[in-house]
Amino acid sequence: MSVSSSRGAAARPNGAPQTKVCQFKLVLLGESAVGKSSLVLRFVKGQFHEYQESTIGAAFLTQTVCLDDTTVKFEIWDTAGQERYHSLAPMYYRGAQAAIVVYDITNQDTFGRAKNWVKELQRQASPSIVIALAGNKSDLAAKRMVETEEAQAYADENHLLFMETSAKTAVNVNDIFLAIANKLPKSESVGGGAAGGGRRLADGEPPRAGGCCK
Amino acid sequence: MDEEYDAIVLGTGLKECILSGMLSVSGKKVLHIDRNKYYGGESASITPLEELFSKFNAPAPDETYGRGRDWNVDLIPKFLMANGLLVKLLIHTGVTRYLEFKSVEGSYVYKGGKISKVPVDQKEALASDLMGMFEKRRFRNFLIYVQDFQPEDTKTWKDFDPSTNNMQGLYDKFGLDKNTQDFTGHALALYLDDNYLQQPAIQTIQRIKLYSDSLARYGKSPYLYPMYGLGELPQGFARLSAIYGGTYMLDKPIDEIVLGEGGKVVGVRSGNEIAKCKQVYCDPSYVPDRVRKKAQVIRCICLLDHPIANTKDALSTQIIIPQKQVGRHSDIYVSVVSYTHQVAAKGWFIAMVSTTVETSDPESEIKPGLDLLGPIRQKFVSVTDYFEPIDDGSQSQIFISESYDATTHFETTCLDVLKIYKRGTDEDFDFSKVKVELGEEDQ
Ligand SMILES: Nc1nc2c(ncn2[C@@H]2O[C@H](COP(=O)(O)OP(=O)(O)OP(=O)(O)O)[C@@H](O)[C@H]2O)c(=O)[nH]1
Ligand SMILES: [Mg+2]
């Protein structure tokens, strides 16, 4: 397994036979400043900024993950700050096949908020959505306010993937995306419950994130 | 909230969201507020279905309606012209990448109690049952004239100056009868009434061209409809605005628009908080004393468990009932979408019948439209006032959009937006300001 660069064609392991490419929409949710953008930046570009600005910025980034026989291309959506005043548009998680709900292990409130996001997703998003819970800033263990066991128990109860991550040290960042990639259905028949047969309008039409392999 | 903004936008209807996006993209610091806890205002799509029923005080839907959350029912029916202004806005701003669309399968027009497909090219014109044989040939010649017409090339005008001669003159030049004029003006050029006949022909020629260019883009009909309903459109533009730094607050009641010297706006107040600003952009509901009623629109949402007869079981259609066919001054519009657009549970269709109110009994005005639908499982009727601003906002710096009209497409919506943008900023929107790279989205 490997994570390849975001630009250009999907990288394939040397000499491997043609793999199928699956594209998925993945959304990030969580309280402001828990490290959503930092996780994406670490995953997509391998970088970390101590003074990451509150997100306004890219609409979505893409990153490719290679599994044994499949290349998984994530279309990663960041909230663009709309969640700050609880004003996130439902369109944001519409058709998403995966979500990472992030909290900050040094802040109990953000864990409570994360639970609300999980509820919201279970209510509103596609029934087959793969949800991962990320306890971020695990490098700040000294200031920990949310116990690993508590979060793990909650994740088990709700059938979520769970990892404690650090965008700063990169611990578990690639791993959580890989775990999601592994859990996503990669056959044509098991779409993300997303739109059937809609099209995007751009002139050079990008492939849509329909959940099925191309 | 206690900050200073270049512009505060009130209401998250489609027009306000497009404006908010354009202002943010142009580098303005924007605060966008809605009193509701959802996006879309009047242009929201209601979900789940239970919410729609309770909004109209109807008893809850039974289990035959399937899962409530599979429904997203528009309050205001509209389609996008594939080559129209809204699609241009969507593509230029990149908002199109958040949305998926389907072509509307057919466009029909009502004549003598039944409906026929709107002929749009020469082949269809010749096969159409709307016209007799000789009329077909005349209409064909007319279509060829319009298709070949180039505004810059006087040779294509064929001795008819369309900027000085009116549309009636052009119809007469081709000898088209009243029926043909009717579906041309109303189902192709999409006029609401017959005033266009006395206007320069160039306008109508260009509208017919828009229709056929739109048709050429995706086939079957010139119309597109977004998956999950029209409510996705305002959300898409809101996201654009947020990406360019716009701040969003839903569920925030506005208690006052604060005026300063000379009646110029200086901020808006919610409770004890005041956000300062140089300009306000809003829909009529936020400024009842600055708008006047222009007309009323009746809209009837009909839930059907079958497609519409005589449309070849189309999963989406538009039917236009030209005013004269039913002795009216304004057309009646019928639009149909279905479960294939993720707006209804499997097997269900949503038809909307709408028109501008002309009598004191609006419900009976839409009867010709309802009669086309066959058995209706559930009907929700609303009559809403159509407001326009009483001034252009230059003094107060409060720029107000018009309510959504009865047309079934977005051309008037976009024109209103572009007009307001120009009034507010003294310039036309510069599409090149939308950064091409938009982060790393483009691969
Ligand atoms: N120590 C530590 N700091 C982190 C980590 N991840 C993010 N941060 C810091 O936390 C702050 C907020 O991170 P962001 O990535 O901007 O958080 P966000 O969730 O995207 O915030 P919004 O965009 O406002 O919603 C920044 O100062 C980051 O440097 C981490 O794993 N460890
Ligand atoms: Mg962020």
Side-chain angles (χ1 to χ4, degrees), chain B residues 207-438:
Chain B
R207 279 171 171 242
I208 299 172
K209 272 182 168 303
L210 169 63
Y211 192 99
S212 47
D213 291 350
S214 292
L215 191 87
R217 263 186 103 106
Y218 298 113
K220 301 179 228 168
S221 88
Y223 303 109
L224 296 168
Y225 184 81
M227 306 296 283
Y228 302 104
L230 297 174
E232 300 296 281
L233 294 168
Q235 293 181 46
F237 283 100
R239 185 165 163 82
L240 173 75
S241 181
I243 284 165
Y244 280 87
T247 302
Y248 275 80
M249 292 185 187
L250 299 185
D251 201 11
K252 191 107 190 149
I254 295 302
D255 297 308
E256 185 187 350
I257 295 181
V258 187
L259 302 178
E261 232 166 275
K264 188 181 165 303
V265 69
V266 293
V268 304
R269 181 173 67 81
S270 174
N272 316 325
E273 299 172 287
I274 289 187
K276 293 197 200 113
C277 67
K278 303 189 183 82
Q279 297 185 316
V280 162
Y281 294 79
C282 64
D283 73 50
S285 71
Y286 288 85
V287 281
D289 52 338
R290 291 175 181 273
V291 294
R292 65 176 155 242
K293 187 170 144 184
K294 195 173 164 188
Q296 279 191 315
V297 179
I298 177 166
R299 302 187 173 96
C300 180
I301 303 172
C302 304
L303 309 184
L304 315 175
D305 50 14
H306 57 82
I308 310 286
N310 306 315
T311 61
K312 302 205 174 86
D313 290 350
L315 297 162
S316 53
T317 43
Q318 160 159 289
I319 305 168
I320 293 180
I321 306 178
Q323 37 148 11
K324 281 217 198 89
Q325 293 292 330
V326 286
R328 295 172 50 78
H329 301 292
S330 38
D331 297 348
I332 301 171
Y333 298 95
V334 180
S335 63
V336 182
V337 290
S338 66
Y339 61 96
T340 57
H341 306 94
Q342 317 283 332
V343 295
K346 182 98 186 136
W348 284 88
F349 292 73
I350 304 169
M352 274 276 213
V353 183
S354 58
T355 192
T356 307
V357 173
E358 294 177 0
T359 70
S360 55
D361 183 11
E363 261 195 87
S364 66
E365 293 184 45
I366 55 171
K367 188 163 180 300
L370 296 177
D371 288 347
L372 297 173
L373 303 181
I376 298 169
R377 282 288 300 275
Q378 180 73 46
K379 207 169 76 175
F380 300 113
V381 180
S382 62
V383 178
T384 48
D385 292 339
Y386 175 93
F387 293 106
E388 62 180 2
I390 51 176
D391 63 35
D392 68 359
S394 55
Q395 181 105 48
S396 60
Q397 293 292 298
I398 300 172
F399 302 95
I400 306 161
S401 61
E402 288 191 15
S403 308
Y404 296 88
D405 61 22
T407 59
T408 53
H409 53 85
F410 284 109
E411 297 310 293
T412 48
T413 306
C414 292
L415 287 172
D416 192 30
V417 165
L418 294 172
K419 243 167 39 196
I420 294 169
Y421 183 85
K422 174 138 199 191
R423 288 210 305 267
T425 61
D426 278 329
E427 53 192 44
D428 290 312
F429 181 62
D430 178 1
F431 285 103
S432 68
K433 279 189 185 145
V434 186
K435 274 184 267 155
V436 187
E437 69 273 24
L438 258 182

Side-chain angles (χ1 to χ4, degrees), chain A residues 21-36:
Chain A
V21 181
C22 294
Q23 184 168 320
F24 296 100
K25 172 175 171 181
L26 179 149
V27 296
L28 280 125
L29 292 165
E31 194 65 64
S32 192
V34 294
K36 298 181 293 296

Side-chain angles (χ1 to χ4, degrees), chain B residues 55-168:
Chain B
K55 182 176 158 56
F56 287 94
N57 301 316
D62 62 42
E63 67 286 352
T64 61
Y65 289 92
R67 267 199 318 181
R69 60 179 251 194
D70 289 342
W71 293 77
N72 292 287
V73 183
D74 302 331
L75 295 172
I76 295 183
K78 282 192 190 295
F79 289 138
L80 291 80
M81 298 287 286
N83 212 29
L85 279 169
L86 184 54
V87 168
K88 290 206 174 93
L89 274 171
L90 283 165
I91 290 176
H92 282 292
T93 55
V95 170
T96 176
R97 70 191 79 212
Y98 310 138
L99 306 165
E100 290 180 21
F101 292 86
K102 274 196 167 166
S103 308
V104 173
E105 289 184 8
S107 175
Y108 291 79
V109 64
Y110 177 99
K111 185 196 159 201
K114 65 185 193 60
I115 59 172
S116 307
K117 185 148 192 318
V118 176
V120 285
D121 57 22
Q122 304 160 29
K123 210 169 108 230
E124 278 195 13
L126 290 176
S128 173
D129 56 1
L130 279 167
M131 297 165 282
M133 219 182 42
F134 294 108
E135 184 66 4
K136 278 179 184 171
R137 300 201 180 286
R138 291 189 285 268
F139 181 63
R140 179 171 171 270
N141 292 336
F142 170 79
L143 274 186
I144 293 174
Y145 174 84
V146 171
Q147 265 155 23
D148 292 345
F149 181 91
Q150 298 297 334
E152 320 78 43
D153 183 358
T154 50
K155 276 206 298 292
T156 66
W157 298 8
K158 306 263 168 69
D159 300 325
F160 179 92
D161 185 342
S163 47
T164 56
N165 291 294
N166 67 20
M167 193 57 204
Q168 189 61 59

